[in-house]
Amino acid sequence: MTRPLLRRTRVRAVAAVATAAASSLLLAGCVGGSASPSGASSDGSASGAAVIHLVGYSVPKEANGAVEKKFQATPAGQGVTFQEAYGPSGDQSRAVANGLQADYVSFSLEPDVTRLVKAGLVDAGWSAGPTKGMVADSVVVIAVRKGNPKGIKGWDDLVKPGVKIITPNPASSGSARWNTLAAYEHTIAEGGSEAEAKDYLTKFFSNVEALPGSGRDATNAFLSGDADALISYENEAILARQSGEDFDYVVPDQTVLIENPAAITTKATPKAKDYLDFVLSADGQAEFVKKGFRPVVQGTPTTGVEGANDPANPFPTPKKLTTIADLGGWDAVNAKFFTDKTGIVSQVQQATGKSQ
């Protein structure tokens, strides 16, 4: 069986008239765009056109590409090209803070945008709109081998002896932070104590076989390896199945709502704001839905999603869906779970030897 997800690589400097020529794809998440068009000015314009430098985390690469094509077909997007750089969310945010050119940033976690606000690179009011700065949602799911030979139906099955798990590394990946929160919080949702939740997370990490750097790297490791389970975004599982990969996925009864932000930078080309507006339009949200993301704009149709367990009802409502707001916001979450040495997840990783 061919593995289209593993063999597709797309380095995109996308013009409306040349999108097809720019497409040669690898579900590989860390790719940069080509150089600016000859004669481009410092704001990215050339011959009246504009270049939008998009820097993002790896998982929505294909969704972004689909939205870009639609945008380029609109009056606001005529002649606009894109240069893209993808990788783990935290790494990409730090790269922008350290000087990587960006007009539009797309991250897994709100704190990765907040870092750029503190650096003066994103306006403090970036999250003031109706969606609070979010452009797509998802939930944490469990991908398993075809036919689910280990009988994995939920979180408790993952800590049974002999189960091999892949999840990205919380030190670099936003996806990993969502995953570990979902694993921990399922115990709380079932009435367990925080001590019991930490004990569960310790058993969970003891069964982790690999901690790839990003959500996309984790998907590829699962597809090419022999692990029993991959903890992932629902949309990532759907996209892989759309691309011909043959595995199952489970939406646990208790999981976490993944909320993914995007923002324009303070020195962005004006076309970046036009693009963000399009992302949040009915047409833009429809493209995210097609790639398996849950929309952030109410009323967006969600039927007919290829690759979902039920294409007619692709986004089932879990019995218990925890949000970051339920946990006190990202400042509280990062302090409690991810602070180096003192955070719960950091302590568990050190105790289990699964910190890298």
Side-chain angles (χ1 to χ4, degrees):
M1 179 184 69
T2 60
R3 293 193 178 276
L5 283 176
L6 291 169
R7 296 184 180 180
R8 295 185 307 168
T9 192
R10 179 164 68 197
V11 179
R12 303 192 71 245
V14 189
V17 296
T19 303
S23 139
S24 145
L25 289 173
L26 164 85
L27 191 42
C30 185
V31 182
S34 63
S36 297
S38 176
S41 66
S42 60
D43 67 357
S45 62
S47 302
V51 177
I52 296 175
H53 296 83
L54 186 156
V55 178
Y57 72 112
S58 55
V59 168
K61 180 178 174 66
E62 287 74 18
N64 287 343
V67 176
E68 288 163 13
K69 291 179 183 179
K70 290 287 187 180
F71 174 67
Q72 289 166 327
T74 68
Q78 288 293 318
V80 174
T81 61
F82 288 83
Q83 291 186 356
E84 296 178 328
Y86 287 100
S89 186
D91 290 352
Q92 295 297 88
S93 174
R94 285 184 284 271
V96 174
N98 289 329
L100 178 64
Q101 186 173 0
D103 299 297
Y104 178 96
V105 292
S106 169
F107 295 137
S108 177
L109 307 175
E110 182 178 328
D112 289 334
V113 181
T114 304
R115 176 184 290 113
L116 303 186
V117 173
K118 292 177 180 178
L121 298 173
V122 168
D123 188 84
W126 72 276
S127 60
T131 68
K132 298 182 180 180
M134 304 303 152
V135 296
D137 286 346
S138 193
V139 297
V140 177
V141 303
I142 305 167
V144 297
R145 298 299 173 188
K146 186 66 176 178
N148 198 1
K150 290 293 180 77
I152 296 170
K153 298 179 181 179
W155 295 104
D156 291 337
D157 296 320
L158 292 172
V159 297
K160 292 179 179 178
V163 174
K164 293 183 288 186
I165 302 168
I166 289 178
T167 186
N169 194 335
S172 60
S173 169
S175 174
R177 295 197 172 196
W178 294 114
N179 295 350
T180 50
L181 287 174
Y184 180 95
E185 286 298 324
H186 104 276
T187 302
I188 304 299
E190 292 180 341
S193 67
E194 293 201 349
E196 289 170 327
K198 186 175 181 180
D199 180 63
Y200 171 84
L201 202 60
T202 301
K203 294 176 182 176
F204 173 91
F205 270 99
S206 295
N207 278 0
V208 168
E209 181 179 63
L211 290 166
S214 73
R216 181 54 52 82
D217 290 343
T219 300
N220 285 339
F222 176 73
L223 295 176
S224 62
D226 65 351
D228 302 300
L230 165 72
I231 316 304
S232 188
Y233 288 2
E234 177 183 52
N235 56 278
E236 184 79 343
I238 291 172
L239 175 66
R241 284 158 53 112
Q242 288 177 354
S243 302
E245 298 297 342
D246 195 19
F247 62 89
D248 297 333
Y249 72 91
V250 176
V251 180
D253 287 340
Q254 305 87 15
T255 190
V256 166
L257 178 66
I258 296 167
E259 300 170 283
N260 299 142
I264 59 172
T265 61
T266 52
K267 296 183 179 180
T269 169
K271 288 296 182 181
K273 176 61 166 61
D274 292 338
Y275 177 67
L276 177 57
D277 289 344
F278 184 80
V279 167
L280 294 172
S281 72
D283 288 341
Q285 289 290 290
E287 295 304 312
F288 274 98
V289 168
K290 290 176 185 177
K291 299 299 184 184
F293 285 91
R294 299 184 179 214
V296 296
V297 176
Q298 291 186 354
T300 303
T302 58
T303 57
V305 178
E306 179 187 352
N309 284 335
D310 179 1
N313 182 28
F315 306 131
T317 302
K319 291 181 180 178
K320 172 61 177 176
L321 186 62
T322 302
T323 69
I324 290 299
D326 294 336
L327 304 179
W330 272 112
D331 286 348
V333 166
N334 279 335
K336 180 176 180 178
F337 291 96
F338 301 112
T339 299
D340 188 34
K341 296 182 181 179
T342 60
I344 291 171
V345 174
S346 300
Q347 290 176 343
V348 168
Q349 286 189 263
Q350 289 292 331
T352 57
K354 300 295 176 65
S355 58
Q356 295 181 356

